[in-house]
Structure formats: C-alpha cells, structure tokens
Amino acid sequence: MKPSRTKLAIAISLLFTAAPVLAEDAASPIMVQDVVVTGTRDITRSAAESLSPIDVISAKDLQRTGQTDLRDALVKLLPSINRLAQAGDAANLTSALTLRGLSPNHVLLLVNGKRRHTTANISADPGAQQGATPVDIDLIPVSAVDHIEVLRDGAAAQYGSDAIAGVINVILKSSSQGGTLTATSGQYYKRDGFTLGGAADVGLPLGADGFVHLSAEYRRHEHSVRSGPDERTGGYDNRTLGDPRIRRESFSANAGIPLGPDVELYAFGTAAHRAGATVQNFRLASRLPQVFPNGFSPVETSNETDAALTAGIKGTDLGGWRWDLSASYGSDNVKIGMNDSANTDLYAATGATPTSFHLSKFHNIQQSANGDIARSFETGVLPAALSVALGAEYRRESYEIGAGDPASYFGSGSQALPGLSPVSAGKHSRNISAAYLDLSTKLTKQWEAEVAARYERFSDAGSTRNAKLSTRYEFDPRYAIRATGSTGFRAPSLAQSYYTSLAVSPTTAGGQLAVNSNAARTLGAAPLKPEKSRSYNLGLVAQPIDKLNLTLDAYHIEIRDRIVQGGTYSGAAAINALTAAGIALPTGLSSVSASYFANGVETRTRGVDLVAGYPADFGSAGRIDWDFSANINDSKVTKIANDRNGRPLLNAQQVGYLTTSTPKNKLIVGGTWSLDQWSVTLHATRYGKTETEATFYSGPNIYSTSVFNHIENKPKTITDLEVRYAATKNLQLAVGANNLFDVYPTETPAASRYLGVYRFDTSASQIAFNGGYYYVRANYKF
C-alpha cells in the first residue's frame, strides 16, 4: 500500500463506515478493543470506551462456529441473539433473528453503516415472529465480512425506525490485496441435511490508491426430517418437521478510490439468488386418488432474487467538516410456488388439475439518499472538544403483491397454500424523510456525555420525534459505568398493512386479512399506528485483574402499541370474513380461523447481559483465550388492547408467544486453545426453559382458542467443538461438530402434536430439532 493511500485510509475509513483491522489472534468478540462506528459519531472510540454495549465479531469468530450462515453464527456467539427453531410455511425459507427477546422487526441491520432493505417474505404463521419482515442477513456472503458490530441498545434516535432492540452493522472487507478460498461440507448425525459450501474473496487495487474487494459464495443444504409418525397412517409419511432444502448463490463487492488528498468515492453492493423448498403436511390417498393414489406431500417453493447497491462520496475537510453523501437501492423479489399438490375443486369441476402452481409474488424495494456532516469544536470551556454531527435522509419504500396463476386460487385453491387471487394483489408505497442531530463531549476529564435527537416523518403513519441521552464515567482506567436512556419507534411495515393469505392443513385453515380491508374491519380491525418505545441501559465496564475484561449491562425496554397478530376469530365469524375477502375454503375442515395485525399490546422487557474474557498463556503448553457471556431476559405483557368489537386482541396463547417462547436465560462458556499449528475451540451453550400455551389436537378442548395445554421445554445444553491444523502457512484444515452430544429439545405432549407429527415445539426459540452435526472445512489464504 502506498503512503498516500495509507494516510487517506486512516482519515477516511473511520468516517461513518470505518472497517478497523482486527487482532489476528482474537478468539472471541469480547477481546476486541478496536475502533467501532456503530452507536456513535466519534471516529476514535473503541468498544470498551463505548457509551452503549457493543459486541465486535471478527471474520475468524464467524468461521470458528462452523456455520455457513451469518444468522446461525451470531446465534452461536452472542447470548442475546436467538432464532426460531423452525418457522412455518414460506417463513421457513427466510432467515430471521431476535435480539433481547423482541421481534425480528425490532433489529435494524446496516451494511457499512447504511440501512439495508428488508425481505419481501412476511412470516405469516402464528408464533413470536408472526408479522416479521426483517433483513435477511444470510443473503450477505460470510466471506465478504470483515467484522460485525452488534449494538445492544435502543438506537432509533440515531438510526430511525426498527432500532428498538438494537443494531447489527456488517462491515465489509476493504483490502486491496490477498484473499481466501474456503470449502466446507457436513451433515447431521442422522445422515440427512447434507451441506456443501464454497466461498472465495479477493482484494484488488483500483487505480493507484484505490481498492475493490470481491466475494462469492455457494451453499447447498438438503432436507432434514424430524417428524413423528402420522397418527392417520402409523408411518413416517409426513415429512414437514425439519429443515427446508436451500440452494443459495451470493456475491458482494466493496470499492473505494481517492479523488484527491481528502475525498473518496465509494460503492458497495450484494446480489443473491436463493431457491428453497419446504415440505407441507401429508395428504391421504383419499384426498385425490385419481391423481395421487398413494397420497401426496405438497412442497412449497421459493425463488428469491435479492440485490443492494450503495454509492457515495465522502471527505475529511470541507471547511473543517467531515462529510458523506450517498444513495442506496435495495430490492427483494420472492416468487412462491407449490409442487406435488393439487386443486381438488378444479379437478371436481373439470376432471383435471395441475400438480405445480405459481402461488404469489412479493416484491420489496427501498430507495434512499443520505447526507451527513460532522466536526469537532474547541469551546474553551469544556475539557474536550464538542463533537457535532447532523444529517438528513429521504427514503421511499414500495411493496408489491402479485396474484398466483388462476388454477392456484380457483375454488378453494391448491392444497396446503392456495394462491393469492387478484383481489389480494396490489402495489403500495410510502415516503419517509428524516433529520438528526448528535452532540458529544466530555463534561470533565472522566465524565463523557452524548445526546442524539431525530425527527422522522412517514407519509402513511405520521411523524415521530425521538431522543437518546448517553453517559459514561471512568473512575480509573480499570473501571467505568455507563448509562443510556432513549425513546424509539417502529413504523408498521407495508406488508403488515396489506398482506392477505390462507394456510390450509389437512384439517384446519387459518386466514390472515389485510388490516385495512373491509373484511378485517368486520372483525374489529383498526388502522395500524407506529410502535413507541422507551429504553434504559445501565452498565459496568471493568478490568478487575490484569487481562480480565468484563462488561455487565442491565436493560429495561417498554413498547407501546406493539404490532402483533391479533383479533383472532373462529367459526362462522372467521368464515364470513374470509368469504368477504374473496377467499374460498375447502370442505371438511375441523377448524377455521381469521386474524389481522393490530396494535395489540404493551410489553416490558428486562434483562442483564454479561460478557467476560481472559487470555491465559501457558508457555510451552500453549495459550487459551477464555470467554464467558450470558443473557437473562424477562418479558411481560402489561396491557392488552380490545378490538373495535370490544374483544381482547390477544388470547393466552398469543401472550405466551411474546413472553415465554424465548429462553429466560442463555449462557455461553468456553475458549480457544492454540499451540504452533494446532488450535481447538470448545464452547458449551445452555438455553433456559421456554413455555408455550399449546393448542389441543385431541380431547374435550380440541382446537379451543381459550383453553390451552401448558407445556415447558426444559433447559438444554449443547456443546460445539472445532479442531484446526495449519498444514502450511496458507492452508488450514478443520473438523468440528455442532451439538457434539446430539441433544434434542423436550418432546411435545401427545395431545398437542398435530396429527402426531410435531414432536417438538415449533413456537420455541430454543435449540434446533436436528441433533448433532459434523463438518469438515479447508481454508486457503493468499
């Protein structure tokens, strides 16, 4: 790298989207003390000096988890992050994560400091993630990631809508030389879920002093099956419980080139294609013996194309101001289909039916433009300079719903999931404008404070004003306390306002009505309002003995007008509403329900995060980097709203989705031992218990919406092990096992196993259903 490039990189790369070089031997995020850019406008602050809790995850940390997906790697590394063991229907084909026990909608994801677009594929099935349209982090290649910064604090006043639980900022690689080649393969102990992956990245010079870093990745993952025997047949015909089949190709580019001594032109983007298939409940041969004499298992498919591009120009000296101007475009286009299915009504009417259908299309587009400026002023009064940052943003969001082919929605539609009819299709959009101001300084040599304020206006949901106050007091270099208080908000997504669907099982059907439709209004629906939040964090940063780094943060989050799936009606009221929405129902169903999204509850979430790390040098016996982290989390529903018919919007089951489906605690303990060419990473993760108010599928309370089967999933501990060997200076080989001892969740009582098939609680965000997984990996660095 030339000297001029070095000088420019130090000055500019720290501005807004810095990508610091991480310690080569850092074994866990808690050991990293480099400059961070998330949650602050200060270009020199380290994670330990942050006024809010921040975890820094290196590319090496991600790789050592053995995961080929970013989401699952973060779940392994951070106790405050969890995922649903298995989502339902099309949501099983989108990667969603939760932070601090809240919804995936409450996590804002940035790439190089810029807001990324969300998925078009809404989670429609009942559960804690219903209504979620999060950013799908797995569409970003792991090989493109330099490091990830996770801000565990409310940050809507700094970044806008969605940042109630926190912010995940993915920083892309930006070197102009070198690269890596990675190949990995593995499968579950039960010899299914075969996974094959390959990745490559390379840094190249761009002109004399610029760079472009390119990444490409391929991943294939086959079905796994963990279903119990189908009570209708006594056999294992029903393969719905397990992983979907996924094939994904993803690409990334990150580039920057100086235009002068203090100006840089930059651009970065990603592109991905994902094809997925998830198996639905088995239909008996009696359903349509003329076409499927042995019965059939419909397979829901997804064909997704995702792309994002950001381009901008930034500099370090415009009358003393650092500045950054950028524009971004993001698009997610999802086509939903169904194979190995049939339309029984169409067959009855015509004597024929297709077995493959196009069901619907969902297309989400986000366009934005940002301008940011920042500088420091010497006041002559304060012991340090006053840092001032301000900026503005304009964003346009569009959401398109496309109808299925006519055969998919004729009569009661295709089995498992009918296609969307033209009456449910449409294009919707809104405009968002925002402005922010951020001030920070030291009030004394040891006392630092920061205040942020933001105004944001949505063309469909009104305006909101939010603020955040942060402070940190350092008693001495070993001990400091920090605190934050903030207000926040999350505007309803366009999908939550306009999405309509019907999911059909062999014996039941559940409809989701657009909240602003006439059909939903008959069930007491009201227009959606933005969610409002208040967040508080109190933390301790300590180094009680040499090399032992420890942080302890307690948090309190209140959310008002929280958007949830509610207003659930069953029986004749549901049938009438679905019929009014133009949705036909198949005959012979035991239960029919209809719901819509509503500002249904107020919630309170309290918890504690503990992070500790200690490097121990044993001389000729090697070195161990120990780490320990824990999250204790408790959520309560403090108020349930009524619909316009005077009925409570949530029942006990839906309250449980919000309060007890996530573990009350999660602990991760372990470390990495290294000596010469060898290194071993070993971690144990303990998940606390979860609880569910489950539906009865047999007995006197079958399909009741007021009486439920209280079940508990016992605490579980899983162990992950990876052994690495440096065969040469450039080539590293690894073997590992996730869930080494093949631990499974608590099995669901027979009375709440639909068709006898669902052995595990699909509402829980605890351990996965698949048991142990082993893998091998080769990594070549050049």
Side-chain angles (χ1 to χ4, degrees), residues 453-529:
R454 187 180 186 93
Y455 170 83
E456 196 147 345
R457 184 182 184 281
F458 289 74
S459 60
D460 63 337
S463 60
T464 179
R465 297 170 179 83
N466 293 280
K468 181 174 182 178
L469 177 64
S470 308
T471 188
R472 183 180 188 272
Y473 187 85
E474 187 176 278
F475 296 98
D476 61 47
R478 288 180 177 268
Y479 294 94
I481 58 172
R482 60 191 179 194
T484 65
S486 64
T487 61
F489 74 103
R490 193 192 77 82
S493 68
L494 292 172
Q496 286 178 323
S497 296
Y498 297 102
Y499 178 78
T500 298
S501 71
L502 179 71
V504 181
S505 76
T507 60
T508 68
Q512 186 72 37
L513 299 171
V515 64
N516 55 2
S517 66
N518 290 329
R521 291 190 187 99
T522 67
L523 301 182
L528 293 177
K529 302 179 292 185

Side-chain angles (χ1 to χ4, degrees), residues 666-703:
K666 179 182 171 186
L667 292 79
I668 305 173
V669 61
T672 295
W673 170 82
S674 55
L675 177 65
D676 300 329
Q677 295 102 322
W678 291 93
S679 60
V680 178
T681 297
L682 177 67
H683 283 96
T685 303
R686 182 190 185 275
Y687 292 82
K689 76 173 182 179
T690 65
E691 302 172 54
T692 297
E693 301 302 316
T695 300
F696 281 101
Y697 294 113
S698 63
N701 295 310
I702 186 171
Y703 298 119

Side-chain angles (χ1 to χ4, degrees), residues 13-41:
S13 67
L14 293 175
L15 174 64
F16 303 111
T17 60
V21 178
L22 298 175
E24 183 65 18
D25 61 350
S28 69
I30 55 179
M31 301 300 296
V32 179
Q33 299 297 327
D34 295 284
V35 172
V36 295
V37 295
T38 310
T40 180
R41 311 290 176 179

